[in-house]
Amino acid sequence: MKFIVSLLILFSFSQNIHAQKIALQSNQISRPKIIVGIVIDQMRWDYLYRYYNRYSNGGFKKLINQGYSFENTFIPYVPTYTAVGHTTIYTGGVPSTHGMVGNNWFDRTINRNVYCTEDSTVLGVGNNDINGKMSPRNLWSTTITDELRLSNNFESKVIGISLKDRGAILPAGHSGNAAYWYDDKTGKWVTSNYYMPQLPVWVNNFNAKDEVASMMKNDWNTLYPINTYTQSTADNKEYEQPIAGLKSPTFPHQLSTINSVKYSAFKYTPYASTFTFNFSKAAIDNEKMGAGKATDFLAISISSTDYMGHNFGPNSIEAEDTYLRLDKDIANFLTDLDIKFGKNNYLVFLSADHGAAHIPGFLKENRIEAGVFDDVMVKQQLNKLLEDSFNIKNSIWAVQNYQVYLNKKLFANSGKDIDAAQRVIMQSLRTHPSITSVFETNKISATTLNSSLKEMFENGYTETRSGDIQFILKPGYFDGGLKGTTHGLWNPYDAHIPLLFYGWNIKPGKTNRETYMTDIAPTLAAMLHIQMPSGSVGKVLQEVVK
């Protein structure tokens, strides 16, 4: 009898232990093996649908139809540039909280322009010149990748990859394991000793293959017959800029004839996105990303779309062909992730750092007002005006990011009235035919301006890094030359971007409610049950969290 009682007690005890294990397992937080962030540099939202009918079922269409699409996602600040966009996506903040007010800004403490990721305290690894001296030290906020590593005592692996240093470094955050960018002098992937003393063996092996030289042997012709392209009448336009090393901006682009600048010219071709995805796959394999207990994060930025876009603009055969080829690259990459992890074990989001304006020459051909603004000439004119008015030479330090930076120390030392100087500058700018509004940056809240625009300018302002006077251009105008296009303004063509979530725990759907770039990082934080970044001001996107 005692034996039976003992067995019953033992059985009851083992059942309790088993139940506790099941309860413990059921109470564990579910997370994906790996998150992949894909930022397409200069991708306007309308590219999702402009070429939709010709996309494959496995690329953009797969993300749209099997993922969740936020169709009305906007950038909530100005200026809309690469460094600012990548930082905002990964911090959930705006320039006023994360500190990235542009790709460049004027630093009054050292009296010179500063590049967003420059760092004189580090050395290049794989690159011995100034382009290797880069780090995230100018970034004020943590990123979602930082918060992921902080949440598990740095067990998660975080790697940033982009042709551009800023596209790799800023998403990887302060604590990323690695950030790799492209050296356009050698065609190799490089980093800095902020991350590591030397390149891993696998990176050296990848570089040794010299994929770029092999790809540049193939001339760039259209993927399909050129007369079947939506923009087939837009080739050979005088407002398009040829790829470096070539004389003509037309198909076929004879890349095989480019010699001395082939590694730089490569960035303007669709082959560069293939190259970036190939390196990303190698990173996953060799760093065994997604194989550990903690969620890993691979931040990929596709830069070739931006280089191409600047030269040829949105209404070119080059843009159409680039996105049709990019669609195939994305399809191939998603298939690779399916094989490695299974669809329900990885999470992908795809967005853009900014859009792009139509080339003014193209708009004028179609009777739409547009034009360019020359900030170099305006700086010269303002300096001459202030010299005549106040007898002070070179009192304008910089005109950039659509702002004027005044040499305040010069005015203070001369005893001249800087407020009077600012009034003279603003009065002069208001006479410029392409400028619609001018105001002092520290008085944005008191400026008569559309409320949405006012918020964007407030979000883009920091006292220590922004200029003194802001000016706004007419729609269709930008600071640039007569060939090609650019971005940087508040207008929807620069600020309306795609936002797609796909994979782990994502149910298909789409919404046209207004959402923002700042919402990406806090949404990822909510999905992972971790803290949002320290400079985040965004909101959680309930559609994908619930």
Side-chain angles (χ1 to χ4, degrees), residues 15-30:
Q15 286 292 95
N16 286 337
I17 292 294
H18 181 65
Q20 288 173 9
K21 285 183 177 179
I22 292 174
L24 193 61
Q25 289 171 355
S26 65
N27 287 331
Q28 287 181 343
I29 299 298
S30 172

Side-chain angles (χ1 to χ4, degrees), residues 164-218:
K164 297 181 180 180
D165 50 65
R166 56 190 182 271
I169 291 170
L170 298 170
H174 298 276
S175 65
N177 300 84
Y180 298 104
W181 55 94
Y182 178 70
D183 181 356
D184 65 7
K185 295 183 181 65
T186 63
K188 301 182 186 303
W189 293 100
V190 300
T191 187
S192 78
N193 66 358
Y194 177 89
Y195 302 98
M196 61 192 75
Q198 59 188 25
L199 290 173
V201 172
W202 72 266
V203 176
N204 283 325
N205 290 341
F206 190 96
N207 284 335
K209 292 188 296 183
D210 201 0
E211 277 192 2
V212 177
S214 298
M215 290 178 171
M216 287 294 282
K217 291 178 182 177
N218 302 310

Side-chain angles (χ1 to χ4, degrees), residues 139 153 283 416:
L139 173 61
N153 199 25
K416 299 296 175 64

Side-chain angles (χ1 to χ4, degrees), residues 244-256:
L246 298 179
K247 295 180 179 179
S248 169
T250 60
F251 281 101
H253 297 282
Q254 298 177 325
L255 307 179
S256 58

Side-chain angles (χ1 to χ4, degrees), residues 65-277:
N65 298 323
Q66 297 181 35
Y68 201 98
S69 179
F70 293 89
E71 303 276 282
N72 214 21
T73 300
F74 284 88
I75 297 172
Y77 60 80
V78 284
T80 46
Y81 290 134
T82 297
V84 202
H86 283 78
T87 305
T88 299
I89 286 172
Y90 282 87
T91 65
V94 290
S96 62
T97 65
H98 59 56
M100 289 289 148
V101 298
N103 292 334
N104 303 272
W105 58 83
F106 195 88
D107 189 327
R108 293 184 178 86
T109 63
I110 54 178
N111 294 346
R112 68 170 178 85
N113 269 321
V114 169
Y115 177 63
C116 56
T117 51
E118 69 171 61
D119 186 349
S120 61
T121 70
V122 302
L123 297 173
V125 173
N127 181 322
N128 294 321
D129 62 24
I130 194 171
N131 294 322
K133 297 170 74 65
M134 302 289 168
S135 87
R137 287 198 172 104
N138 289 325
L139 173 61
W140 293 345
S141 170
T142 60
T143 60
I144 188 62
T145 49
D146 285 324
E147 294 296 339
L148 177 61
R149 280 173 56 77
L150 285 165
S151 73
N152 54 37
N153 199 25
F154 304 96
E155 287 187 15
S156 292
K157 294 176 184 174
V158 168
I159 297 177
I161 293 172
S162 174
L163 296 184
K164 297 181 180 180
D165 50 65
R166 56 190 182 271
I169 291 170
L170 298 170
H174 298 276
S175 65
N177 300 84
Y180 298 104
W181 55 94
Y182 178 70
D183 181 356
D184 65 7
K185 295 183 181 65
T186 63
K188 301 182 186 303
W189 293 100
V190 300
T191 187
S192 78
N193 66 358
Y194 177 89
Y195 302 98
M196 61 192 75
Q198 59 188 25
L199 290 173
V201 172
W202 72 266
V203 176
N204 283 325
N205 290 341
F206 190 96
N207 284 335
K209 292 188 296 183
D210 201 0
E211 277 192 2
V212 177
S214 298
M215 290 178 171
M216 287 294 282
K217 291 178 182 177
N218 302 310
D219 293 340
W220 178 14
N221 212 331
T222 52
L223 193 60
Y224 304 105
I226 196 167
N227 62 351
T228 65
Y229 278 63
T230 304
Q231 308 294 154
S232 61
T233 60
D235 209 19
N236 196 22
K237 295 292 185 176
E238 61 181 8
Y239 47 73
E240 293 183 340
Q241 182 72 37
I243 294 173
L246 298 179
K247 295 180 179 179
S248 169
T250 60
F251 281 101
H253 297 282
Q254 298 177 325
L255 307 179
S256 58
T257 66
I258 303 173
N259 294 312
S260 61
V261 294
K262 68 179 177 182
Y263 291 120
S264 178
F266 175 72
K267 299 182 298 184
Y268 296 79
T269 76
Y271 304 135
S273 69
T274 307
F275 177 66
T276 305
F277 277 117

Side-chain angles (χ1 to χ4, degrees), residues 8 15 30 40-41 54 56 153 172 190 192 282 316 324 356 371 405 425 427 452 506:
L8 288 172
Q15 286 292 95
S30 172
I40 311 298
D41 202 324
R54 225 168 192 179
S56 68
N153 199 25
V190 300
S192 78
S316 62
L324 293 177
Y405 288 78
I425 292 170
Q427 184 178 357
S452 296
I506 301 297

